[in-house]
Amino acid sequence: MTEGTDRRSPGAAAVRELQGVARFTFHEGKLEEFKRLSAQCMEIVRTKDTGTLQYDIHFNDDQSECIVLERYRDSEALIEHTAHVADLMQAILATGSVSGELLGEPSAELRAKLDGSEVRLFTPFQSM
């Protein structure tokens, strides 16, 4: 593939996919609250989301930190997911310090929703 993305290539469908990485460092005593809330979130993902392709939660050895790996079919799927878990987000974010990255080419609508957020956007350069 050449620099950037070639939407005519066989992998063009994958270009619409978005990947997210969220990193949490938990506040003292908030791990169990995070686990409880993330279980609710996972149930929502499994039962309501139609375009979430991956939603994995990983802890370090002492469970003081975690990484959430997310993958969405496209921008609309991420917008849908965000709407489904909106009621839980304030409580989840209160359990620790959070940083995040979004990888892909979000739609104009999703870009507008990300404006002013702490999420860092990385757009494709090369892929196979």
Side-chain angles (χ1 to χ4, degrees), residues 25-54:
T25 302
F26 300 111
H27 298 313
E28 185 73 31
K30 293 293 187 174
L31 175 62
E32 294 308 316
E33 178 70 357
F34 175 84
K35 286 181 176 182
R36 184 183 70 75
L37 293 165
S38 65
Q40 290 178 28
C41 193
M42 185 66 77
E43 183 63 19
I44 290 168
V45 168
R46 288 181 175 142
T47 61
K48 293 185 178 181
D49 286 5
T50 60
T52 299
L53 305 173
Q54 178 182 9

mmCIF file of all heavy atoms in Angstrom, residues 25-54:
data_model
loop_
_atom_site.group_PDB
_atom_site.id
_atom_site.type_symbol
_atom_site.label_atom_id
_atom_site.label_comp_id
_atom_site.label_asym_id
_atom_site.label_seq_id
_atom_site.Cartn_x
_atom_site.Cartn_y
_atom_site.Cartn_z
ATOM 1 N N THR A 25 -5.038 3.882 35.550
ATOM 2 C CA THR A 25 -4.279 3.694 36.785
ATOM 3 C C THR A 25 -5.269 3.995 37.896
ATOM 4 O O THR A 25 -5.802 5.107 37.976
ATOM 5 C CB THR A 25 -3.063 4.645 36.858
ATOM 6 O OG1 THR A 25 -2.236 4.404 35.725
ATOM 7 C CG2 THR A 25 -2.270 4.416 38.132
ATOM 8 N N PHE A 26 -5.539 3.017 38.739
ATOM 9 C CA PHE A 26 -6.642 3.128 39.688
ATOM 10 C C PHE A 26 -6.289 3.950 40.921
ATOM 11 O O PHE A 26 -5.175 3.892 41.430
ATOM 12 C CB PHE A 26 -7.107 1.731 40.113
ATOM 13 C CG PHE A 26 -7.581 0.923 38.944
ATOM 14 C CD1 PHE A 26 -6.854 -0.162 38.503
ATOM 15 C CD2 PHE A 26 -8.728 1.275 38.258
ATOM 16 C CE1 PHE A 26 -7.272 -0.887 37.405
ATOM 17 C CE2 PHE A 26 -9.150 0.571 37.149
ATOM 18 C CZ PHE A 26 -8.408 -0.526 36.723
ATOM 19 N N HIS A 27 -7.289 4.692 41.389
ATOM 20 C CA HIS A 27 -7.175 5.387 42.668
ATOM 21 C C HIS A 27 -7.252 4.344 43.784
ATOM 22 O O HIS A 27 -7.862 3.279 43.618
ATOM 23 C CB HIS A 27 -8.303 6.406 42.840
ATOM 24 C CG HIS A 27 -8.313 7.497 41.824
ATOM 25 N ND1 HIS A 27 -7.197 8.206 41.453
ATOM 26 C CD2 HIS A 27 -9.340 8.022 41.094
ATOM 27 C CE1 HIS A 27 -7.520 9.116 40.547
ATOM 28 N NE2 HIS A 27 -8.818 9.017 40.306
ATOM 29 N N GLU A 28 -6.653 4.663 44.900
ATOM 30 C CA GLU A 28 -6.652 3.773 46.070
ATOM 31 C C GLU A 28 -8.083 3.334 46.400
ATOM 32 O O GLU A 28 -8.991 4.166 46.525
ATOM 33 C CB GLU A 28 -6.048 4.513 47.268
ATOM 34 C CG GLU A 28 -5.880 3.663 48.501
ATOM 35 C CD GLU A 28 -4.735 2.664 48.376
ATOM 36 O OE1 GLU A 28 -3.748 2.961 47.676
ATOM 37 O OE2 GLU A 28 -4.856 1.589 48.984
ATOM 38 N N GLY A 29 -8.273 2.037 46.487
ATOM 39 C CA GLY A 29 -9.564 1.494 46.887
ATOM 40 C C GLY A 29 -10.631 1.468 45.809
ATOM 41 O O GLY A 29 -11.790 1.145 46.101
ATOM 42 N N LYS A 30 -10.289 1.774 44.567
ATOM 43 C CA LYS A 30 -11.301 1.855 43.503
ATOM 44 C C LYS A 30 -11.301 0.669 42.546
ATOM 45 O O LYS A 30 -12.121 0.610 41.628
ATOM 46 C CB LYS A 30 -11.113 3.150 42.699
ATOM 47 C CG LYS A 30 -11.394 4.404 43.484
ATOM 48 C CD LYS A 30 -12.861 4.486 43.842
ATOM 49 C CE LYS A 30 -13.202 5.818 44.496
ATOM 50 N NZ LYS A 30 -14.636 5.939 44.702
ATOM 51 N N LEU A 31 -10.411 -0.296 42.747
ATOM 52 C CA LEU A 31 -10.323 -1.429 41.829
ATOM 53 C C LEU A 31 -11.633 -2.209 41.746
ATOM 54 O O LEU A 31 -12.125 -2.500 40.649
ATOM 55 C CB LEU A 31 -9.182 -2.373 42.233
ATOM 56 C CG LEU A 31 -9.072 -3.661 41.419
ATOM 57 C CD1 LEU A 31 -8.792 -3.356 39.958
ATOM 58 C CD2 LEU A 31 -8.007 -4.565 42.014
ATOM 59 N N GLU A 32 -12.206 -2.554 42.884
ATOM 60 C CA GLU A 32 -13.438 -3.355 42.875
ATOM 61 C C GLU A 32 -14.593 -2.590 42.227
ATOM 62 O O GLU A 32 -15.422 -3.195 41.542
ATOM 63 C CB GLU A 32 -13.791 -3.834 44.280
ATOM 64 C CG GLU A 32 -12.787 -4.827 44.851
ATOM 65 C CD GLU A 32 -12.507 -6.016 43.930
ATOM 66 O OE1 GLU A 32 -13.466 -6.587 43.358
ATOM 67 O OE2 GLU A 32 -11.312 -6.376 43.778
ATOM 68 N N GLU A 33 -14.631 -1.282 42.435
ATOM 69 C CA GLU A 33 -15.661 -0.465 41.772
ATOM 70 C C GLU A 33 -15.464 -0.509 40.260
ATOM 71 O O GLU A 33 -16.428 -0.646 39.503
ATOM 72 C CB GLU A 33 -15.601 0.976 42.297
ATOM 73 C CG GLU A 33 -16.581 1.916 41.641
ATOM 74 C CD GLU A 33 -18.047 1.675 41.997
ATOM 75 O OE1 GLU A 33 -18.365 0.727 42.741
ATOM 76 O OE2 GLU A 33 -18.896 2.443 41.506
ATOM 77 N N PHE A 34 -14.217 -0.395 39.805
ATOM 78 C CA PHE A 34 -13.941 -0.488 38.369
ATOM 79 C C PHE A 34 -14.391 -1.842 37.833
ATOM 80 O O PHE A 34 -15.030 -1.917 36.778
ATOM 81 C CB PHE A 34 -12.455 -0.270 38.065
ATOM 82 C CG PHE A 34 -12.146 -0.495 36.614
ATOM 83 C CD1 PHE A 34 -12.338 0.516 35.688
ATOM 84 C CD2 PHE A 34 -11.694 -1.732 36.163
ATOM 85 C CE1 PHE A 34 -12.080 0.304 34.342
ATOM 86 C CE2 PHE A 34 -11.428 -1.956 34.824
ATOM 87 C CZ PHE A 34 -11.623 -0.937 33.908
ATOM 88 N N LYS A 35 -14.058 -2.913 38.527
ATOM 89 C CA LYS A 35 -14.435 -4.247 38.072
ATOM 90 C C LYS A 35 -15.951 -4.390 37.973
ATOM 91 O O LYS A 35 -16.480 -4.973 37.020
ATOM 92 C CB LYS A 35 -13.861 -5.313 39.004
ATOM 93 C CG LYS A 35 -12.370 -5.514 38.844
ATOM 94 C CD LYS A 35 -11.896 -6.608 39.793
ATOM 95 C CE LYS A 35 -10.438 -6.929 39.610
ATOM 96 N NZ LYS A 35 -10.009 -8.022 40.511
ATOM 97 N N ARG A 36 -16.657 -3.876 38.956
ATOM 98 C CA ARG A 36 -18.128 -3.941 38.949
ATOM 99 C C ARG A 36 -18.701 -3.180 37.761
ATOM 100 O O ARG A 36 -19.543 -3.685 37.017
ATOM 101 C CB ARG A 36 -18.680 -3.379 40.264
ATOM 102 C CG ARG A 36 -20.199 -3.486 40.407
ATOM 103 C CD ARG A 36 -20.683 -2.837 41.690
ATOM 104 N NE ARG A 36 -20.563 -1.398 41.676
ATOM 105 C CZ ARG A 36 -21.368 -0.561 40.993
ATOM 106 N NH1 ARG A 36 -22.359 -1.051 40.259
ATOM 107 N NH2 ARG A 36 -21.197 0.741 41.052
ATOM 108 N N LEU A 37 -18.197 -1.956 37.557
ATOM 109 C CA LEU A 37 -18.686 -1.125 36.454
ATOM 110 C C LEU A 37 -18.290 -1.691 35.093
ATOM 111 O O LEU A 37 -19.075 -1.658 34.144
ATOM 112 C CB LEU A 37 -18.166 0.307 36.605
ATOM 113 C CG LEU A 37 -18.716 1.074 37.802
ATOM 114 C CD1 LEU A 37 -17.880 2.321 38.070
ATOM 115 C CD2 LEU A 37 -20.180 1.433 37.594
ATOM 116 N N SER A 38 -17.083 -2.228 34.998
ATOM 117 C CA SER A 38 -16.641 -2.772 33.717
ATOM 118 C C SER A 38 -17.425 -4.040 33.361
ATOM 119 O O SER A 38 -17.649 -4.315 32.184
ATOM 120 C CB SER A 38 -15.133 -3.013 33.688
ATOM 121 O OG SER A 38 -14.756 -4.002 34.595
ATOM 122 N N ALA A 39 -17.865 -4.794 34.367
ATOM 123 C CA ALA A 39 -18.719 -5.955 34.101
ATOM 124 C C ALA A 39 -20.057 -5.500 33.516
ATOM 125 O O ALA A 39 -20.591 -6.121 32.586
ATOM 126 C CB ALA A 39 -18.936 -6.767 35.373
ATOM 127 N N GLN A 40 -20.603 -4.416 34.028
ATOM 128 C CA GLN A 40 -21.842 -3.851 33.475
ATOM 129 C C GLN A 40 -21.614 -3.385 32.042
ATOM 130 O O GLN A 40 -22.452 -3.607 31.161
ATOM 131 C CB GLN A 40 -22.324 -2.684 34.325
ATOM 132 C CG GLN A 40 -22.849 -3.076 35.678
ATOM 133 C CD GLN A 40 -23.271 -1.851 36.492
ATOM 134 O OE1 GLN A 40 -23.646 -0.826 35.946
ATOM 135 N NE2 GLN A 40 -23.214 -1.984 37.803
ATOM 136 N N CYS A 41 -20.487 -2.733 31.837
ATOM 137 C CA CYS A 41 -20.143 -2.246 30.501
ATOM 138 C C CYS A 41 -20.019 -3.419 29.521
ATOM 139 O O CYS A 41 -20.535 -3.362 28.401
ATOM 140 C CB CYS A 41 -18.843 -1.447 30.580
ATOM 141 S SG CYS A 41 -18.489 -0.487 29.117
ATOM 142 N N MET A 42 -19.338 -4.480 29.943
ATOM 143 C CA MET A 42 -19.165 -5.649 29.080
ATOM 144 C C MET A 42 -20.515 -6.256 28.713
ATOM 145 O O MET A 42 -20.735 -6.658 27.575
ATOM 146 C CB MET A 42 -18.281 -6.689 29.776
ATOM 147 C CG MET A 42 -17.942 -7.883 28.908
ATOM 148 S SD MET A 42 -16.902 -7.485 27.482
ATOM 149 C CE MET A 42 -15.312 -7.327 28.298
ATOM 150 N N GLU A 43 -21.430 -6.309 29.664
ATOM 151 C CA GLU A 43 -22.766 -6.842 29.380
ATOM 152 C C GLU A 43 -23.477 -5.976 28.337
ATOM 153 O O GLU A 43 -24.139 -6.499 27.437
ATOM 154 C CB GLU A 43 -23.589 -6.923 30.669
ATOM 155 C CG GLU A 43 -24.952 -7.522 30.481
ATOM 156 C CD GLU A 43 -24.943 -8.973 30.021
ATOM 157 O OE1 GLU A 43 -23.915 -9.665 30.176
ATOM 158 O OE2 GLU A 43 -25.978 -9.422 29.494
ATOM 159 N N ILE A 44 -23.333 -4.679 28.433
ATOM 160 C CA ILE A 44 -23.923 -3.770 27.443
ATOM 161 C C ILE A 44 -23.311 -4.021 26.070
ATOM 162 O O ILE A 44 -24.022 -4.113 25.068
ATOM 163 C CB ILE A 44 -23.740 -2.304 27.882
ATOM 164 C CG1 ILE A 44 -24.611 -2.002 29.095
ATOM 165 C CG2 ILE A 44 -24.041 -1.345 26.730
ATOM 166 C CD1 ILE A 44 -24.317 -0.685 29.782
ATOM 167 N N VAL A 45 -21.989 -4.154 26.025
ATOM 168 C CA VAL A 45 -21.308 -4.406 24.759
ATOM 169 C C VAL A 45 -21.830 -5.696 24.132
ATOM 170 O O VAL A 45 -22.120 -5.741 22.935
ATOM 171 C CB VAL A 45 -19.774 -4.470 24.962
ATOM 172 C CG1 VAL A 45 -19.068 -5.010 23.736
ATOM 173 C CG2 VAL A 45 -19.230 -3.098 25.339
ATOM 174 N N ARG A 46 -21.962 -6.730 24.939
ATOM 175 C CA ARG A 46 -22.398 -8.034 24.416
ATOM 176 C C ARG A 46 -23.850 -8.050 23.970
ATOM 177 O O ARG A 46 -24.212 -8.780 23.055
ATOM 178 C CB ARG A 46 -22.180 -9.110 25.478
ATOM 179 C CG ARG A 46 -20.730 -9.443 25.685
ATOM 180 C CD ARG A 46 -20.563 -10.537 26.722
ATOM 181 N NE ARG A 46 -19.159 -10.914 26.813
ATOM 182 C CZ ARG A 46 -18.544 -11.221 27.936
ATOM 183 N NH1 ARG A 46 -19.205 -11.212 29.085
ATOM 184 N NH2 ARG A 46 -17.268 -11.546 27.932
ATOM 185 N N THR A 47 -24.698 -7.268 24.619
ATOM 186 C CA THR A 47 -26.132 -7.362 24.343
ATOM 187 C C THR A 47 -26.703 -6.241 23.495
ATOM 188 O O THR A 47 -27.744 -6.425 22.874
ATOM 189 C CB THR A 47 -26.938 -7.440 25.659
ATOM 190 O OG1 THR A 47 -26.707 -6.260 26.425
ATOM 191 C CG2 THR A 47 -26.560 -8.674 26.460
ATOM 192 N N LYS A 48 -26.044 -5.084 23.458
ATOM 193 C CA LYS A 48 -26.617 -3.943 22.749
ATOM 194 C C LYS A 48 -25.795 -3.464 21.553
ATOM 195 O O LYS A 48 -26.355 -3.028 20.558
ATOM 196 C CB LYS A 48 -26.819 -2.767 23.705
ATOM 197 C CG LYS A 48 -27.885 -3.029 24.753
ATOM 198 C CD LYS A 48 -28.127 -1.794 25.587
ATOM 199 C CE LYS A 48 -29.225 -2.042 26.605
ATOM 200 N NZ LYS A 48 -29.494 -0.846 27.402
ATOM 201 N N ASP A 49 -24.470 -3.493 21.676
ATOM 202 C CA ASP A 49 -23.637 -2.979 20.590
ATOM 203 C C ASP A 49 -23.761 -3.873 19.358
ATOM 204 O O ASP A 49 -23.748 -5.096 19.466
ATOM 205 C CB ASP A 49 -22.157 -2.924 21.001
ATOM 206 C CG ASP A 49 -21.838 -1.801 21.969
ATOM 207 O OD1 ASP A 49 -22.775 -1.101 22.414
ATOM 208 O OD2 ASP A 49 -20.652 -1.635 22.286
ATOM 209 N N THR A 50 -23.866 -3.257 18.191
ATOM 210 C CA THR A 50 -23.968 -4.027 16.949
ATOM 211 C C THR A 50 -22.680 -3.987 16.130
ATOM 212 O O THR A 50 -22.513 -4.802 15.231
ATOM 213 C CB THR A 50 -25.125 -3.504 16.079
ATOM 214 O OG1 THR A 50 -24.885 -2.135 15.752
ATOM 215 C CG2 THR A 50 -26.459 -3.642 16.799
ATOM 216 N N GLY A 51 -21.775 -3.058 16.433
ATOM 217 C CA GLY A 51 -20.563 -2.937 15.632
ATOM 218 C C GLY A 51 -19.278 -2.998 16.431
ATOM 219 O O GLY A 51 -18.214 -2.651 15.919
ATOM 220 N N THR A 52 -19.346 -3.450 17.678
ATOM 221 C CA THR A 52 -18.130 -3.609 18.473
ATOM 222 C C THR A 52 -17.539 -4.964 18.130
ATOM 223 O O THR A 52 -18.179 -5.997 18.316
ATOM 224 C CB THR A 52 -18.432 -3.510 19.980
ATOM 225 O OG1 THR A 52 -18.981 -2.216 20.244
ATOM 226 C CG2 THR A 52 -17.162 -3.684 20.803
ATOM 227 N N LEU A 53 -16.308 -4.966 17.628
ATOM 228 C CA LEU A 53 -15.641 -6.184 17.186
ATOM 229 C C LEU A 53 -14.732 -6.777 18.255
ATOM 230 O O LEU A 53 -14.456 -7.967 18.246
ATOM 231 C CB LEU A 53 -14.817 -5.884 15.925
ATOM 232 C CG LEU A 53 -15.589 -5.251 14.774
ATOM 233 C CD1 LEU A 53 -14.638 -4.853 13.655
ATOM 234 C CD2 LEU A 53 -16.673 -6.184 14.272
ATOM 235 N N GLN A 54 -14.255 -5.933 19.162
ATOM 236 C CA GLN A 54 -13.368 -6.385 20.239
ATOM 237 C C GLN A 54 -13.546 -5.451 21.420
ATOM 238 O O GLN A 54 -13.641 -4.241 21.258
ATOM 239 C CB GLN A 54 -11.907 -6.339 19.767
ATOM 240 C CG GLN A 54 -10.896 -6.731 20.820
ATOM 241 C CD GLN A 54 -9.462 -6.618 20.308
ATOM 242 O OE1 GLN A 54 -9.190 -6.096 19.236
ATOM 243 N NE2 GLN A 54 -8.539 -7.119 21.096
#
